[in-house]
Amino acid sequence: MNYTATCHCGAVELQVILSTGLDSARRCDCSYCERRGAVAVSAALQNVEIVKGKENLTLYQWGTGTAKHYFCKTCGIYTHHQRRSNPNQYGINAACLEGVSIRALGDVPWMDGVNHPSDRS
């Protein structure tokens, strides 16, 4: 399924192909994601294209530095991140997808980011 994702102010726009639609929706309880509170859906790296505002994105990394979290510099909205659990995927902020209501997604499952396998010795 093809989607357009935008930040709040419209400075950043992504074209996204979700091979499993919205079925991959999930939340994470790591210290960062829990505070952010976003529902993310999965997309392969090659299925995400920044069509507008690449220069308006800012990057945030922490911990292992593997995950790359992208935000609009103007409005501050988190649009997507490259996952540490699978660096070949982006997590896309479902609330940024045009025509998608995160309320309609129902009870979104939680992933155990507190006990992430990458954090184990």
Side-chain angles (χ1 to χ4, degrees):
M1 298 186 72
N2 296 318
Y3 291 92
T4 298
T6 59
C7 63
H8 188 256
C9 70
V12 175
E13 181 179 321
L14 312 172
Q15 288 299 311
V16 179
I17 299 171
L18 300 176
S19 58
T20 61
L22 301 172
D23 292 342
S24 63
R26 63 185 188 227
R27 295 180 185 268
C28 175
D29 68 356
C30 77
S31 64
Y32 182 67
C33 291
E34 190 168 50
R35 285 172 178 82
R36 182 176 62 199
V39 173
V41 291
S42 300
L45 293 184
Q46 67 270 17
N47 290 342
V48 176
E49 179 185 1
I50 301 168
V51 295
K52 178 180 161 188
K54 184 174 184 174
E55 71 288 346
N56 211 54
L57 286 170
T58 191
L59 172 66
Y60 178 69
Q61 291 176 277
W62 67 282
T64 64
T66 305
K68 298 174 183 172
H69 304 267
Y70 295 95
F71 298 82
C72 173
K73 289 180 188 178
T74 304
C75 65
I77 294 297
Y78 147 70
T79 54
H80 65 294
H81 72 282
Q82 187 172 5
R83 293 200 158 120
R84 71 177 170 155
S85 59
N86 182 350
N88 295 313
Q89 284 184 339
Y90 283 121
I92 307 296
N93 181 351
C96 291
L97 298 172
E98 290 184 4
V100 172
S101 167
I102 58 169
R103 287 181 181 216
L105 295 176
D107 191 22
V108 176
W110 286 87
M111 304 308 291
D112 185 3
V114 171
N115 299 298
H116 196 282
S118 295
D119 295 338
R120 295 185 194 132
S121 303

